[in-house]
Amino acid sequence: MTPKPPTPVPGHALLAGRTAVITAAAGAGIGGATARRFLEEGARVVIGDAHARRLRESAAALRDEFGAGNVAALPCDVTDEDQVDALFALAAEHHGGLDIVVNNAGLGGTADLVHMTDEQWSRVLDVTLGGTFRCTRAALRRLKEQDGEGVVVNNASVIGWRAQRGQAHYAAAKAGVMALTRCAALEAADFGVRVNAVAPSLAMHPHLAKVTTPELLAELTEREAFGRYAEPWEIANVIVFLASGYSSYMTGETVSVSSQRA
């Protein structure tokens, strides 16, 4: 039986009037889907990505659909503190403040430990965990000084809990994102800011298809109870929930967005 494709959920103004910074938001992955869903929910967005051309194209498409005043964009490599600071400064310059941060940037790869180089290990950790650290730090420094609630949502992965061959660097980084989320949440609670994370299992997008073999994708899809991978917007829906008032008592949590069998 072929899995039935899901039906997108319409917006309900859950983020009306709020400003969000979203990293790695160019293209058709989770970051791009999150930017779109936030705009559908009434937010203004500042999107960053290390790929300047894809970022320009994504920003232009979103501006055409949602209005130029609602979308700002700036290339951002999350391993560079100056670029991270510039992205957050744009939120204040273009939208007058900051309410929500979605740390989506991450880098994967496949290598068994016996063949993994120091550079492979360090690069994945620096982008995926170090980038989340830099952006969370930048967010909390600004949100601490603002009068009002703020929210940080980090993108982790079920691989932070589960073992998979060839993924030691990525799994360690995503487990670190979960630990960072818990610790940051305790500190941020002192000034009314919530920090949570999502942990997707398998969300399909063009970049993933390019860096993963069809055989592995088929194997991972087979593990899902619904017999299909998630659409990026299905992950974005849970990010909307964590960014909205519907999750007002949640902080330090990692929400699994998965249909994997136990």
Side-chain angles (χ1 to χ4, degrees), residues 123-157:
R123 179 64 176 162
V124 169
L125 267 289
D126 195 22
V127 174
T128 307
L129 179 56
T132 301
F133 153 69
R134 292 181 194 92
C135 292
T136 300
R137 179 177 62 187
L140 295 185
R141 284 173 173 172
R142 288 160 175 80
L143 292 171
K144 183 178 181 179
E145 303 304 320
Q146 293 183 189
D147 182 20
E149 298 177 352
V151 181
V152 177
V153 183
N154 296 324
N155 192 358
S157 169

Side-chain angles (χ1 to χ4, degrees), residues 173-195:
K174 290 300 189 179
V177 168
M178 295 176 182
L180 172 64
T181 297
R182 293 190 293 270
C183 294
L186 287 181
E187 297 178 18
D190 291 344
F191 42 93
V193 172
R194 299 187 295 112
V195 185

Side-chain angles (χ1 to χ4, degrees), residues 2 44 51 77 99 111 127 136 146 154 179 182 187 232 248-249:
T2 302
R44 301 176 295 266
H51 301 277
D77 177 349
D99 302 291
V127 174
T136 300
Q146 293 183 189
N154 296 324
R182 293 190 293 270
E187 297 178 18
S248 59
Y249 197 65

Side-chain angles (χ1 to χ4, degrees), residues 15-39:
L15 306 176
R18 310 197 77 190
T19 295
V21 168
I22 306 168
T23 64
I30 293 172
T34 299
R36 173 172 293 277
R37 287 294 295 116
F38 273 36
L39 288 160

